Amino acid sequence: MAITTFQGPVRSLNGFYTQGPGSVITLPNATNTITLDVATYAGRAIYTNDATLVITLPSLNATADPAASGPGSDPNTVNNMGASFTFVVGTAATTWKIITAASQFLVGSMLVIDTDTTDTVNGFAANGTTIRSVNLNGTTTGGIVGSYVTVTATNATMWTVSGVVIGSGTIATPFATS
């Protein structure tokens, strides 16, 4: 089915579901770096077996639709507010990073669960801080198989991040300024 555009809210009395081969994108092994775009990756689970991976989020765009777009929103808008990306770790990470553009930052929290003790750390990125990346190392900051991270475009400068990552050793926050 082609892309379908609706004007106004869409309501289902019995729910929506996503299934099928297009619902999960498996990145090829040895990808190492990827820059995401909304059309290809948003709204899908992104699965990878790469231990070393740098994921660059698309630039945030909160521009309004042009006045000439007619009644309702422009179906070809470049505005990407609300776009979400979910990443699933399929092999233990050694250097795994999700980064934003220099003028953008992350807010939200992630739970880091320790496999060898009962420790947990709730990494927190506050509004207005310079948190620009999530770094997973397969041990202290998480990234063991089964870890997942979701990021959502929130406004012109901010991504909201959440997730549960599995780590070991003396666990620490996965949030970083670079």
Side-chain angles (χ1 to χ4, degrees):
M1 180 173 165
I3 294 174
T4 303
T5 303
F6 297 92
Q7 181 175 327
V10 176
R11 183 174 107 169
S12 170
L13 300 178
N14 202 18
F16 292 98
Y17 65 91
T18 302
Q19 75 178 51
S23 299
V24 177
I25 295 177
T26 301
L27 298 178
N29 288 342
T31 301
N32 296 14
T33 63
I34 187 163
T35 300
L36 301 181
D37 65 81
V38 173
T40 305
Y41 297 100
R44 296 175 170 95
I46 303 165
Y47 177 85
T48 181
N49 276 323
D50 272 345
T52 302
L53 182 62
V54 175
I55 300 165
T56 302
L57 298 172
S59 291
L60 291 167
N61 189 328
T63 58
D65 289 332
S69 68
S73 295
D74 182 353
N76 298 311
T77 185
V78 293
N79 182 311
N80 60 5
M81 295 299 96
S84 287
F85 304 91
T86 298
F87 308 99
V88 180
V89 178
T91 194
T94 54
T95 307
W96 217 77
K97 193 174 202 175
I98 302 168
I99 60 174
T100 67
S103 60
Q104 301 165 10
F105 58 94
L106 299 166
V107 297
S109 64
M110 291 177 45
L111 180 63
V112 183
I113 299 173
D114 190 355
T115 61
D116 52 8
T117 67
T118 58
D119 294 335
T120 59
V121 169
N122 188 15
F124 177 71
N127 189 8
T129 64
T130 57
I131 300 299
R132 291 197 45 241
S133 67
V134 172
N135 298 322
L136 306 180
N137 62 11
T139 58
T140 59
T141 61
I144 293 175
V145 176
S147 298
Y148 67 92
V149 179
T150 299
V151 293
T152 302
T154 307
N155 66 36
T157 59
M158 182 173 67
W159 291 91
T160 301
V161 62
S162 63
V164 176
V165 293
I166 306 163
S168 64
T170 304
I171 56 176
T173 181
F175 291 112
T177 57
S178 62

